[in-house]
Amino acid sequence: MLLERVYPAPGHASLTAFQRDRDRIVQARAFRRLAGKTQVFTSRASDHFRSRLTHTIEVAQIARNVASALGLNEDLAETLALVHDIGHPPFGHAGERALDACLQRHGLRFDHNLHALRIVEHFEQRYAAHRGLNLTLGVREGIVKHSRDYDSVTHPELSSYFLDQSPPLEAQLIDLADEIAYLTADLDDGVESGLLEINHIRSQVSILARCYEVVEREHTGVEEKFLFNEALQLMQNTLIDDLIRTTRQGAEAIGAKSLADIRNHPQRLSVFSPQAESERLEEKRYLYNTLYSCPALTLEHDKAEEVVTKLFDFWMENLEELPQGYIDEVESEGHARVVADYIAGMTDSFILQQYVGVKRMVKPGTRR
């Protein structure tokens, strides 16, 4: 069932169905655009900070590691990791908040998981016989359900994705692989940016402090930045090991022998242990309080929200300024959704180009 596609597709002698899905995703234009989308810091700040694409690759590494250790389908886990952020708009979470706020004025919402599904089912056009990437049901289900649960009353259009059942473990682990990747990376990029200081992190983030003490004992006389890198790697490995161990214990506790056993269990089984979960939440609070909400990033977030909002309003008032392909979608999708779709597909640099162009077209105090 998980291998079903919407449109018939012949098998491939050397590739599994999920490997074919992986290749289709990697070759998609939306996937390539992740290179130009913000993770935490924009690419204008440094070439060394994570982009949405490099973050995705790191998540895929972790997901495949966990799946392999648990004897799960590594190809499915890797594919879901590679596609999990494909629906994000430019400017990271600030861009998503702004786009969602714009749509709420029109009785709609923006959800990057559901937008990712629309990308792979509709927007990507690579094949002569159909729109979309024609991915397997297993991958499409994982796109929808890897990080949250939907109900069929609110989302009847998702009824074919087993909304009354838990997702496979390969999908369940993606959200926590994502957490592990960014908890490690954001500390790294935060220190690299000069916005975070290693000793302050050690005083506030228990798991990093514990890992730092271990590597400090093992490597005497080493520069602080190298000790920090070692501590970050140890922290990541600690969380990965915890996720593997706790997921295995959960599956064994319910006597899971098949996918049906996983689906019929009411709670997700891929979780952290209580200690790791407590430390995860502690670090997440630290990042929000000291990095994500710091004045330097707040200014960037405010600017991002201004760009998204003004462009959304401009194209709502000037439909004819949209590309023709989007204008053609208005009758079926609605004006506001089409504008959001156009903005969501943009990279940071492209949306800024559009913003500059629109500012030149519309003088202050005038309307087109």
Side-chain angles (χ1 to χ4, degrees), residues 81-301:
L82 290 170
V83 78
H84 87 284
D85 267 358
I86 207 169
H88 273 287
F91 301 137
H93 291 290
E96 183 165 0
R97 286 194 303 270
L99 201 52
D100 185 50
C102 289
L103 281 176
Q104 286 187 56
R105 291 190 263 125
H106 300 272
L108 301 169
R109 299 298 301 268
F110 184 84
D111 180 318
H112 72 264
N113 290 336
L114 301 187
H115 188 68
L117 185 66
R118 298 178 75 225
I119 287 172
V120 302
E121 290 189 331
H122 185 69
F123 292 125
E124 286 291 327
Q125 300 184 52
R126 297 181 56 84
Y127 304 101
H130 56 76
R131 296 186 69 148
L133 299 180
N134 196 27
L135 303 179
T136 59
L137 176 59
V139 170
R140 287 180 284 122
E141 180 193 7
I143 290 172
V144 173
K145 295 164 63 176
H146 72 273
S147 64
R148 58 165 291 187
D149 300 320
Y150 297 87
D151 64 82
S152 57
V153 175
T154 307
H155 294 280
E157 75 280 8
L158 302 177
S159 59
S160 62
Y161 295 113
F162 319 109
L163 298 187
D164 60 339
Q165 301 176 31
S166 294
L169 286 177
E170 290 88 349
Q172 293 186 34
L173 67 87
I174 298 302
D175 192 41
L176 299 184
D178 183 26
E179 292 266 335
I180 293 170
Y182 82 70
L183 288 174
T184 307
D186 291 356
L187 289 181
D188 189 19
D189 286 351
V191 169
E192 178 76 14
S193 72
L195 296 174
L196 296 181
E197 198 273 327
I198 293 174
N199 285 331
H200 189 258
I201 298 172
R202 293 180 65 184
S203 71
Q204 301 295 317
V205 181
S206 301
I207 187 171
L208 190 282
R210 189 169 67 254
C211 291
Y212 200 102
E213 290 173 0
V214 171
V215 301
E216 202 171 28
R217 289 194 299 269
E218 293 177 349
H219 303 282
T220 57
V222 176
E223 285 186 59
E224 184 180 55
K225 66 178 180 179
F226 297 120
L227 291 175
F228 182 61
N229 289 340
E230 292 282 349
L232 286 175
Q233 188 61 58
L234 179 57
M235 183 184 81
Q236 183 177 95
N237 291 338
T238 300
L239 289 171
I240 290 172
D241 291 344
D242 183 273
L243 177 59
I244 292 168
R245 181 172 56 253
T246 308
T247 302
R248 180 182 289 118
Q249 290 172 348
E252 291 174 349
I254 68 166
K257 302 295 184 183
S258 66
L259 175 57
D261 296 330
I262 302 297
R263 286 198 179 282
N264 292 328
H265 191 67
Q267 286 86 39
R268 295 189 176 220
L269 295 169
S270 191
V271 296
F272 289 123
S273 67
Q275 178 181 344
E277 176 64 9
S278 175
E279 291 178 333
R280 179 190 73 84
L281 292 173
E282 178 190 57
E283 183 182 343
K284 200 165 185 175
R285 285 192 296 269
Y286 175 80
L287 285 168
Y288 273 104
N289 292 336
T290 62
L291 182 62
Y292 305 151
S293 61
C294 74
L297 288 187
T298 297
L299 286 173
E300 288 221 349
H301 296 163

Side-chain angles (χ1 to χ4, degrees), residues 29 57 154 251 332 357:
R29 297 177 73 183
I57 294 170
T154 307
S332 61

